[in-house]
Amino acid sequence: QVQLVESGGGSVQAGGSLRLSCAAFGYTGSIYNIPCMTWFRQAPGKEREGVAVIYTGDGSTYYADSVKGRFTISQDNAKSTLWLQMNSLKPEDTAMYYCAGAPICGNHWYAGNYRYWGQGTQVTVSS
């Protein structure tokens, strides 16, 4: 059974940066063996939304318009780790952030496609 474990959340002021990480454990042995890896976030009272996707096979990346140009998703296959570099943070980025993995990359923004989920890490941005 694959386990995903996020870390790196915290509290920062607007304009600051954070780097989230997601480590994969389990039979796959590597982030590379999970074709579609995505960072989702969910703020209180709001639906879970995808913010950044990486196709681990070819490295293609996709971003939600709300984070484009500020967030960068990357992978380190050797360490079985997924990263999310978040710069120029805004108060509206405040949410619980989750990494998720899907066996296929179809509609990569649809949370229902994802089989593996981490427990989440909280990001709070103050103005």
Side-chain angles (χ1 to χ4, degrees):
Q1 181 67 29
V2 173
Q3 287 185 307
L4 302 176
V5 180
E6 304 96 335
S7 61
S11 297
V12 296
Q13 290 190 327
S17 298
L18 284 174
R19 191 185 193 196
L20 306 183
S21 65
C22 173
F25 303 92
Y27 74 90
T28 61
S30 169
I31 289 286
Y32 185 80
N33 291 331
I34 305 175
C36 197
M37 293 294 300
T38 298
W39 286 97
F40 285 84
R41 67 185 181 186
Q42 187 167 21
K46 295 188 176 181
E47 292 187 355
R48 190 168 296 190
E49 62 170 346
V51 296
V53 182
I54 189 165
Y55 289 9
T56 60
D58 64 10
S60 298
T61 57
Y62 304 87
Y63 297 93
D65 288 343
S66 58
V67 306
K68 204 170 291 184
R70 300 188 298 121
F71 289 12
T72 302
I73 187 172
S74 61
Q75 60 184 353
D76 181 340
N77 297 327
K79 296 183 179 180
S80 296
T81 303
L82 182 74
W83 307 95
L84 184 68
Q85 178 67 43
M86 305 187 296
N87 299 327
S88 302
L89 283 161
K90 304 175 180 179
E92 51 263 45
D93 294 318
T94 295
M96 185 72 79
Y97 283 72
Y98 301 88
C99 69
I104 58 173
C105 297
N107 180 358
H108 51 237
W109 296 124
Y110 177 52
N113 285 341
Y114 289 79
R115 182 180 299 174
Y116 312 117
W117 290 87
Q119 82 289 349
T121 186
Q122 178 67 39
V123 171
T124 303
V125 185
S126 58
S127 57

